[in-house]
Amino acid sequence: MIVAQRKSLERIEQMLEGCEQILVVGCGTCVAVCMAGGEKEVQLLAEQLRMRGKLGGLRRTIDEITLTRQCDHEYLDQLAPHVHNYDALLSMACGAGVQLLAEHFEGRLVLPALDTRFIGASDAEGQWSQRCSACCECILDLTGGICPHTLCPKGQLNGPCGGADHGRCEVDPENECAWALIYRRLELLGRLDQIRTIQPPKDHSATTRPGRQRHPAFDADGSED
Amino acid sequence: MSERKFEPKVLALCCTYCAYTAADLAGSLRLEYSPNVRVVKLMCSGKVDPILLLRAFERGADAVFVAGCAQGECHFLEGNVRGKRAVQHAKRLIAELGLEPERLEFFHIPASDGPLFARCADQMTARARELGPNPLRSSAQQDAGSALEQPRDAHPALPQCRAGVLIRAAEGDE
């Protein structure tokens, strides 16, 4: 999932300066799971803003709503009857959600309440770590399901480098060396010979921004390639 | 502020198995403790959500404390751990918006310790007196927004059962 974290209240207040009618819009998908922008977090942020407003003697209204997703136009339609009541929509979605919301209601001020961090997975209660860099060239079949491009700070596709110390990374000893992990995993799988495969340099053109994708079933002309 | 002497309002959210029983015991023992405390009984301190604590302050409570079972003795095994975590998180949130986090506290009060409940009640009342009135008290009734109504998802009609056979709405009535 996409992992994000909430901006500081200070920063959010800065963005909201001069706005009196504010709608906090939550997202019930990735950011709800990583406890950054789901229904609960919307309640808490809206409540903080209400209390902050009252403490500052502001006459402002903070309403809240949480949609299933903000990265799909269909779900954003639910806001249509409401948006005209607000000076600002404070989105608690990832950057994709914020942008689609801004596009869907062009001419409305849409503000981000979160900092989007990475594609990750859950390590423990309340903890997530990055697992994928969306590189568009997945080689997890060769590395025992451990991504060196993401887990190695150097992104080495042919590792390990010479800096690992007792299986710890020289860049950050907090982290285990991705290639030490890969070695052990491949050993466990009885596929250690795979580590000898030399990976060609990564084709970074595949991740030229902005990325676009069309599902083959939705080819414009329906013709077969 | 009016000329009247400030009397703090203290909210106590008590687990029914421990702290509430301790409060009961404090009563049975005829212990005197601060009358400013309003006790709310919960099935478990783990039911406390940070949003409840924030709302208590928005509505003008001068101090709030959550009281759960003694460490390692929670009736629901780890409800008190969750309650404590919720309180700590709420403390961070109220500090961030500019209220004193000391207005909020979590206590472990075993059912057998009536005097401890009385001490906690007195401590939080004294703390509220020291900190002065919650600045949100005057605006407690001011409406500052709420959750928008969302239409409920339309569900297909439930199938009916006739003579032991399920008839789904889509299949139409015979």
Side-chain angles (χ1 to χ4, degrees):
Chain A
M1 70 180 142
I2 291 170
V3 178
Q5 62 185 14
R6 213 201 71 191
K7 288 177 180 289
S8 72
L9 197 62
E10 238 24 81
R11 178 81 183 82
I12 292 171
E13 283 285 8
Q14 256 176 6
M15 294 191 288
L16 291 173
E17 198 158 341
C19 301
E20 290 193 340
Q21 305 290 322
I22 299 151
L23 179 63
V24 182
V25 188
C27 177
T29 311
C30 313
V31 292
V33 180
C34 69
M35 301 190 223
E39 197 167 1
K40 267 215 149 95
E41 292 72 32
V42 166
Q43 281 184 341
L44 291 170
L45 176 60
E47 188 63 21
Q48 276 189 298
L49 291 168
R50 285 179 200 124
M51 291 163 82
R52 197 32 132 36
K54 287 180 175 186
L55 285 171
L58 304 174
R59 276 264 167 214
R60 68 177 181 189
T61 304
I62 316 279
D63 285 339
E64 56 185 80
I65 190 166
T66 303
L67 306 175
T68 307
R69 273 207 295 284
Q70 285 187 41
C71 53
D72 262 319
H73 284 291
E74 288 83 348
Y75 293 109
L76 298 178
D77 282 335
Q78 296 174 9
L79 291 181
H82 306 292
V83 288
H84 62 275
N85 299 324
Y86 301 98
D87 307 329
L89 305 178
L90 182 60
S91 168
M92 293 193 86
C94 71
V98 175
Q99 291 184 57
L100 204 73
L101 186 59
E103 184 183 310
H104 197 86
F105 297 110
E106 240 183 341
R108 291 268 146 220
L109 179 62
V110 175
L111 303 167
L114 304 185
D115 290 318
T116 307
R117 302 204 53 199
F118 49 73
I119 300 176
S122 166
D123 293 334
E125 208 179 1
Q127 289 176 43
W128 300 270
S129 63
Q130 188 173 13
R131 299 299 179 94
C132 171
S133 312
C135 76
C136 215
E137 273 192 330
C138 193
I139 54 158
L140 289 170
D141 56 320
L142 300 171
T143 56
I146 295 165
C147 175
H149 185 57
T150 308
L151 271 61
C152 167
K154 303 175 186 184
Q156 291 220 304
L157 297 184
N158 298 289
C161 71
D165 179 18
H166 294 86
R168 292 272 153 192
C169 174
E170 70 171 346
V171 175
D172 181 359
E174 279 275 298
N175 294 330
E176 286 189 89
C177 165
W179 279 99
L181 292 172
I182 290 168
Y183 184 95
R184 284 202 291 274
R185 177 73 57 81
L186 289 175
E187 197 174 36
L188 190 69
L189 293 168
R191 294 183 156 211
L192 206 43
D193 57 319
Q194 284 184 187
I195 209 163
R196 295 185 188 281
T197 314
I198 302 294
Q199 288 297 322
K202 194 163 264 312
D203 173 10
H204 288 287
S205 72
T207 52
T208 303
R209 290 184 294 227
R212 294 196 184 288
Q213 178 171 311
R214 175 177 279 154
H215 191 281
F218 294 83
D219 272 346
D221 55 359
S223 64
E224 294 203 6
D225 294 337
Chain B
M1 282 303 292
S2 62
E3 289 301 299
R4 279 182 306 147
K5 190 167 152 287
F6 161 59
E7 272 302 335
K9 286 183 183 174
V10 180
L11 175 68
L13 297 165
C14 294
C15 152
T16 183
Y17 293 97
C18 297
Y20 190 83
T21 312
D24 229 5
L25 186 61
S28 309
L29 292 169
R30 302 282 187 274
L31 294 174
E32 200 172 311
Y33 63 87
S34 162
N36 304 59
V37 177
R38 289 116 168 111
V39 179
V40 174
K41 180 159 78 165
L42 301 171
M43 285 311 286
C44 174
S45 60
K47 275 298 288 174
V48 169
D49 190 287
I51 190 70
L52 293 177
L53 302 170
L54 261 64
R55 284 181 185 152
F57 286 110
E58 194 204 2
R59 285 159 177 63
D62 299 300
V64 178
F65 70 94
V66 179
C69 298
Q71 265 155 333
E73 291 178 16
C74 174
H75 182 87
F76 297 108
L77 306 177
E78 52 181 41
N80 55 355
V81 177
R82 290 166 194 223
K84 197 168 186 170
R85 189 190 297 148
V87 168
Q88 279 163 345
H89 186 43
K91 277 180 115 160
R92 271 194 296 273
L93 295 173
I94 62 172
E96 191 180 30
L97 64 88
L99 269 185
E100 302 90 342
E102 297 79 27
R103 293 183 184 273
L104 176 61
E105 210 55 78
F106 185 95
F107 296 111
H108 293 283
I109 306 180
S112 57
D113 206 340
L116 177 61
F117 177 85
R119 284 201 301 278
C120 292
D122 288 337
Q123 184 188 332
M124 287 311 279
T125 310
R127 223 186 259 192
R129 271 193 218 288
E130 204 175 310
L131 292 165
N134 171 359
L136 288 160
R137 219 197 242 205
S138 53
S139 57
Q141 300 304 317
Q142 179 195 323
D143 181 24
S146 60
L148 294 183
E149 284 280 322
Q150 276 174 288
R152 293 187 48 162
D153 291 343
H155 287 286
L158 287 173
Q160 292 182 331
C161 185
R162 285 191 213 141
V165 180
L166 281 181
I167 312 285
R168 289 185 177 77
E171 293 160 3
D173 290 323
E174 297 297 309

